[in-house]
Amino acid sequence: MKVKEWLNKELSNNEIKEHILHIKEKAKKLNKDYNFMITFNEEDPKDFQETKLKGLVVSVKDCFTTKNMRTTAGSKILEDYVPTFDATIVKRLKDSGAYILGKTAMDEFGFGSFSTNCAFKVPKNANDVNRVAGGSSGGAGVITQLLREEPHIAIAESTGGSISNPAAFNGVYSITPTYGLLSRYGLIDYANTLDKPGVMASSAYDLAFILNIIKGRDERDPTTHEYSLDFLKTITSFDAINSKIAIIKDYEERIIDEEIKKSFKKVIDFLIKEGAEIEEISLRLTDAALASYYIIATAEASTNLAKYCGMRYGKEGNVKGKHFDEYFSEIRSKYFGEEVKRRIILGSFVRMAGYRDAYYIKALKVRSKVIKEFKQHLQNYDFLLAPTMPILPPTFDEVGKLRPHEIYALDVLTVPVNLAGLPHVNVPLKTTLSLPAGLHVISDHFKDANAVAMAYWIEKHYKGIF
Ligand code: GLN
């Protein structure tokens, strides 16, 4: 159900509470098969009748702190961490009368593309339990698809594609906004210069609606901007179809699954038939962007993870008689997963004296060039369109056979826009199978509302929506 329909209903406090409890019960039942939630909120709903969101049910990725509700970031090391404060986004939602349903499953600290690196139960794709949910916000993608008949939205986070990927794999709408649109205060960092909170929903309208509530300057996060954007106004007034559009040749060349090529071609043909002018461009730095991302992201992650040493947050051990090195190593070896350790090693290596210039500094230079390349095209075009992922959601067996670098390579379409901090929206597309494909709508910095408007236009007019 769309948020708008929910808000238009005249409901008493009791009816709202009953509905929240009905959704919770339904979600708990579904969770037994799909594992999308790590922790459910066990607090009873309050009186919401007079609030703006009227008890709208919101699920939150488990990397955002929630006061008095366990927050694990998908890691064993934070298994027992109960924060004493709400992340800004959570606070803004609560203040507007949202009911937080619980904390959704994710790859440990956001490291992964399939949520198979979650230290708790691994979520399963909403359309086929033998397939992965996508990642790292896998739980958010699954619950958004499974609760599509209910008033529900999901808060997720992307560092290098973690919102678009599971949105595409489960067939839902999502936005990863311009870096700084949404506050990172209370977000458990993966890589600070890349992390972006975002939203998933079963309609582009709902993305716009929620962004109006949670966006904007937060004193506690100096990287946030004040936007004068009104998302709802833009999506109803912006002439999406008469804007200038480009498709990205280099991205199409990297599509592995024919089904995705077909779905993408169909939607592009439709847009042309409706009068859109579409040209083709090249992004030559695509592969360099992928390499540079994994250097910058792991470099930042390896320093961010230093604080998990068994003393300040999460798990503790027995310190007696141990040198601090020995104690820290013991805790970190025991409670960090394999991928976390891989990233610490990689990230520490690329910023070591002697290697820093060759890897980390070079990656930063590549990042500047990637931003420039995008910006040049975005002077000429309002939107860049591309498939979101190069593959349909793979089975758990298929993923089990992939080597780490092969998994990283599948992020080639989602990483560059994240590296550039550009807003991007996923639109779920039908394929000839029972699985969805994704269409990426990319726009310039601060043009987030236009990207949502384009997605909304397609949602309203195109028959091939998943
Ligand atoms: N798959 C990417 C990675 O593992 C992106 C993850 C994310 O955006 N959190 O780094």
Side-chain angles (χ1 to χ4, degrees):
M1 191 201 288
K2 311 281 181 278
V3 169
K4 201 171 162 185
E5 289 166 33
W6 169 251
L7 298 177
N8 285 342
K9 284 189 172 185
E10 296 279 332
L11 297 171
S12 68
N13 267 319
N14 274 346
E15 285 168 323
I16 292 173
K17 283 181 201 172
E18 263 171 37
H19 199 71
I20 292 173
L21 294 174
H22 151 78
I23 295 176
K24 201 197 284 190
E25 207 175 298
K26 183 171 169 181
K28 279 190 170 174
K29 224 181 253 169
L30 286 165
N31 199 42
K32 293 202 173 99
D33 292 326
Y34 292 92
N35 304 331
F36 49 78
M37 199 76 96
I38 296 178
T39 308
F40 274 98
N41 181 3
E42 295 304 343
E43 219 176 278
D44 285 332
K46 298 198 286 267
D47 283 354
F48 288 115
Q49 199 182 23
E50 300 303 323
T51 64
K52 194 166 178 187
L53 293 179
K54 289 190 188 167
L56 178 74
V57 170
V58 177
S59 61
V60 178
K61 187 176 178 181
D62 208 15
C63 52
F64 292 93
T65 57
T66 40
K67 191 172 174 178
N68 299 333
M69 206 193 302
R70 183 167 78 126
T71 299
T72 71
S75 181
K76 281 274 178 221
I77 211 157
L78 288 175
E79 192 171 13
D80 313 313
Y81 174 51
V82 179
T84 54
F85 68 106
D86 279 322
T88 294
I89 291 184
V90 173
K91 184 169 186 321
R92 287 183 183 175
L93 285 164
K94 280 188 181 173
D95 289 349
S96 300
Y99 179 78
I100 307 298
L101 183 65
K103 311 299 293 293
T104 51
M106 57 182 285
D107 283 303
E108 188 169 3
F109 290 108
F111 304 153
S113 305
F114 304 125
S115 295
T116 45
N117 298 329
C118 181
F120 304 97
K121 286 183 183 163
V122 169
K124 298 174 185 173
N125 193 289
N127 306 297
D128 178 352
V129 289
N130 295 315
R131 294 179 187 272
V132 297
S136 66
S137 315
V142 177
I143 188 175
T144 305
Q145 177 56 255
L146 291 175
L147 290 188
R148 68 189 174 281
E149 304 299 336
E150 306 288 353
H152 160 262
I153 63 117
I155 299 296
E157 178 277 341
S158 170
T159 307
S162 278
I163 298 176
S164 288
N165 162 330
F169 277 5
N170 289 285
V172 300
Y173 291 84
S174 72
I175 178 159
T176 309
T178 302
Y179 179 83
L181 173 68
L182 301 182
S183 170
R184 287 182 295 112
Y185 179 73
L187 169 68
I188 296 178
D189 303 309
Y190 169 167
N192 312 45
T193 71
L194 292 156
D195 295 344
K196 296 162 295 288
V199 186
M200 290 191 203
S202 55
S203 158
Y205 178 92
D206 293 358
L207 299 180
F209 182 84
I210 285 300
L211 284 166
N212 269 358
I213 290 174
I214 58 177
K215 73 183 165 77
R217 178 85 188 136
D218 174 16
E219 269 172 27
R220 294 181 148 122
D221 174 0
T223 61
T224 50
H225 314 280
E226 192 51 63
Y227 273 61
S228 54
L229 284 181
D230 183 328
F231 278 85
L232 281 181
K233 217 183 250 167
T234 309
I235 68 164
T236 44
S237 62
F238 183 75
D239 183 4
I241 198 69
N242 284 321
S243 38
K244 291 197 74 184
I245 300 171
I247 51 175
I248 310 165
K249 188 169 134 262
D250 310 67
Y251 284 21
E252 283 178 77
E253 285 165 4
R254 284 164 177 79
I255 304 303
I256 297 167
D257 208 306
E258 286 299 321
E259 279 293 326
I260 294 179
K261 278 188 197 161
K262 280 192 257 171
S263 290
F264 183 66
K265 189 173 179 309
K266 265 194 195 159
V267 69
I268 296 300
D269 287 348
F270 171 76
L271 290 172
I272 293 172
K273 202 180 99 235
E274 291 296 307
E277 268 184 51
I278 302 186
E279 291 172 357
E280 196 176 62
I281 58 154
S282 180
L283 288 172
R284 286 178 43 243
L285 293 173
T286 301
D287 291 327
L290 181 69
S292 140
Y293 165 82
Y294 271 98
I295 291 171
I296 295 170
T298 54
E300 291 185 28
S302 64
T303 65
N304 279 327
L305 291 168
K307 60 180 167 285
Y308 304 105
C309 60
M311 295 192 85
R312 284 186 286 171
Y313 303 91
K315 293 285 188 198
E316 289 176 25
N318 182 9
V319 283
K320 236 188 179 159
K322 284 174 200 148
H323 189 264
F324 69 87
D325 262 0
E326 190 190 341
Y327 175 69
F328 291 175
S329 299
E330 182 188 300
I331 293 287
R332 289 160 70 84
S333 306
K334 191 164 163 196
Y335 296 113
F336 277 156
E338 196 186 326
E339 185 62 24
V340 178
K341 290 172 190 163
R342 183 176 293 116
R343 305 252 176 152
I344 292 174
I345 292 169
L346 189 59
S348 307
F349 176 82
V350 297
R351 58 186 173 77
M352 258 164 73
Y355 296 110
R356 187 187 284 125
D357 286 348
Y359 296 107
Y360 181 63
I361 301 297
K362 199 169 184 180
L364 292 180
K365 288 180 183 160
V366 171
R367 181 185 201 169
S368 300
K369 287 194 189 303
V370 170
I371 295 172
K372 213 162 142 197
E373 191 177 44
F374 270 117
K375 294 294 261 187
Q376 271 166 357
H377 289 301
L378 288 165
Q379 277 176 1
N380 302 326
Y381 301 99
D382 299 298
F383 300 113
L384 309 182
L385 302 185
T388 305
M389 289 297 291
I391 52 166
L392 293 172
T395 62
F396 286 98
D397 284 349
E398 285 164 344
V399 165
K401 291 185 190 118
L402 293 173
R403 312 257 306 141
H405 68 274
E406 292 172 318
I407 296 177
Y408 303 165
L410 293 171
D411 288 340
V412 69
L413 308 184
T414 40
V415 148
V417 274
N418 276 278
L419 195 62
L422 291 166
H424 47 284
V425 173
N426 179 68
V427 178
L429 298 180
K430 267 189 205 151
T431 62
T432 60
L433 309 170
S434 54
L435 298 169
L439 168 73
H440 243 179
V441 179
I442 302 161
S443 61
D444 204 353
H445 291 127
F446 311 115
K447 298 275 170 62
D448 307 58
N450 293 2
V452 182
M454 184 68 186
Y456 189 50
W457 190 93
I458 298 172
E459 179 182 3
K460 275 194 307 191
H461 296 95
Y462 183 53
K463 296 243 156 20
I465 295 293
F466 183 75

